[in-house]
Amino acid sequence: MKNTKNLISSASGIAKWHLPAMIIVFCSAFTNAQETDLTPSFKQAIEISPLRLFDGTFQMSYDRKVSDKWSINMSGQGTYASENGYGKMYLESQKNVLSYTIGDMYFSPRMITGFGAGIEGRNYLRSRSGLPLGLYAAPYLSYRKVWMTSTSYSWENDKPVEKDHTRNLDIFSGGVLLGGRLGVIKKIYSVDFSAGAGIRFSKYSDENHFTRFRTMKALDYSGVLPTASLKIGILK
């Protein structure tokens, strides 16, 4: 378990401190990339985000060309992370930062569920074939609603009693991405990577203000933060 937490912590550190270097290397690669006659003609792509599976989230995106230089990318996601589910590692990493007390009862999260949606407006900077391919810059907006079910244990009449408590969290995000759709594999599949920065506002339904003084790795963090994503797509 300690190795798992160290791995997650290391990944978080890499995203925070090495993101500028990643962006520079990424931009250089796409700047030097050349479109060829083998590039297929396509106007849309359906993508999934495989890395999101590790936090118990399935995310799918639909990208549609709207002009020679622009496309709209819309995404939806669903989350179900539990102690015995696929998002177990992510949930363990969140326990310390999401635990809370009510009176003399200490609650620790056991399950996180929810849904979300996002939209990007992608401007392809070096596309010479009129295809949504290559380096792009994209402003984005997203919204996510999360339910966190936590459990506390106490003794009543000399018997252990388990009590559940659920909190409702709304997360609003916006920012700018720099990314690109990397080539095409067998004229059907594509790889899409992006990195950038934005601002996030998180609010619990039982509070009248956005969260404050939270650590950046916490799901309920509010503030400026880096972001990165990897998507694998099918072209149509």
Side-chain angles (χ1 to χ4, degrees), residues 15-221:
K16 179 179 179 181
W17 300 112
H18 298 287
L19 186 59
M22 291 167 61
I23 294 176
I24 292 173
V25 173
F26 181 72
C27 289
S28 298
F30 276 96
T31 298
N32 295 326
Q34 299 293 323
E35 295 169 5
T36 70
D37 293 337
L38 298 178
T39 301
S41 177
F42 65 96
K43 294 183 178 180
Q44 56 191 350
I46 299 173
E47 303 170 316
I48 62 170
S49 303
L51 298 182
R52 295 298 309 278
L53 295 175
F54 291 102
D55 63 20
T57 297
F58 177 76
Q59 180 173 318
M60 180 174 285
S61 305
Y62 173 74
D63 189 87
R64 176 75 182 186
K65 174 185 173 182
V66 294
S67 72
D68 287 348
K69 293 288 187 178
W70 286 89
S71 75
I72 298 294
N73 188 283
M74 298 171 286
S75 64
Q77 61 178 272
T79 299
Y80 191 100
S82 65
E83 290 183 327
N84 299 317
Y86 199 71
K88 180 179 180 179
M89 289 193 303
Y90 174 74
L91 190 61
E92 286 292 333
S93 74
Q94 292 287 309
K95 275 194 172 182
N96 290 335
V97 293
L98 293 181
S99 296
Y100 56 94
T101 59
I102 298 179
D104 59 353
M105 302 189 72
Y106 178 82
F107 288 89
S108 180
R110 297 184 60 187
M111 183 171 64
I112 297 175
T113 59
F115 64 89
I119 186 168
E120 302 172 16
R122 296 182 173 184
N123 177 218
Y124 288 84
L125 305 176
R126 293 179 58 83
S127 176
R128 292 182 293 275
S129 59
L131 297 174
L133 185 68
L135 184 68
Y136 63 79
Y140 74 89
L141 292 172
S142 68
Y143 168 73
R144 189 178 183 188
K145 177 173 280 292
V146 175
W147 290 269
M148 294 184 296
T149 301
S150 302
T151 300
S152 178
Y153 298 91
S154 62
W155 286 85
E156 294 182 6
N157 300 322
D158 295 327
K159 294 181 180 180
V161 177
E162 178 182 300
K163 293 186 177 181
D164 289 339
H165 183 259
T166 300
R167 301 190 78 185
N168 187 329
L169 179 67
D170 294 294
I171 305 172
F172 307 88
S173 302
V176 178
L177 301 172
L178 184 63
R181 180 169 283 122
L182 175 61
V184 175
I185 304 172
K186 294 184 178 180
K187 300 185 179 183
I188 299 175
Y189 308 103
S190 68
V191 178
D192 190 321
F193 176 79
S194 65
I199 188 167
R200 183 165 75 190
F201 297 100
S202 302
K203 181 183 178 300
Y204 287 104
S205 60
D206 56 359
E207 296 180 353
N208 57 9
H209 57 77
F210 294 116
T211 57
R212 296 173 290 186
F213 316 120
R214 309 296 290 170
T215 61
M216 188 176 293
K217 71 175 184 178
L219 177 62
D220 60 357
Y221 169 78

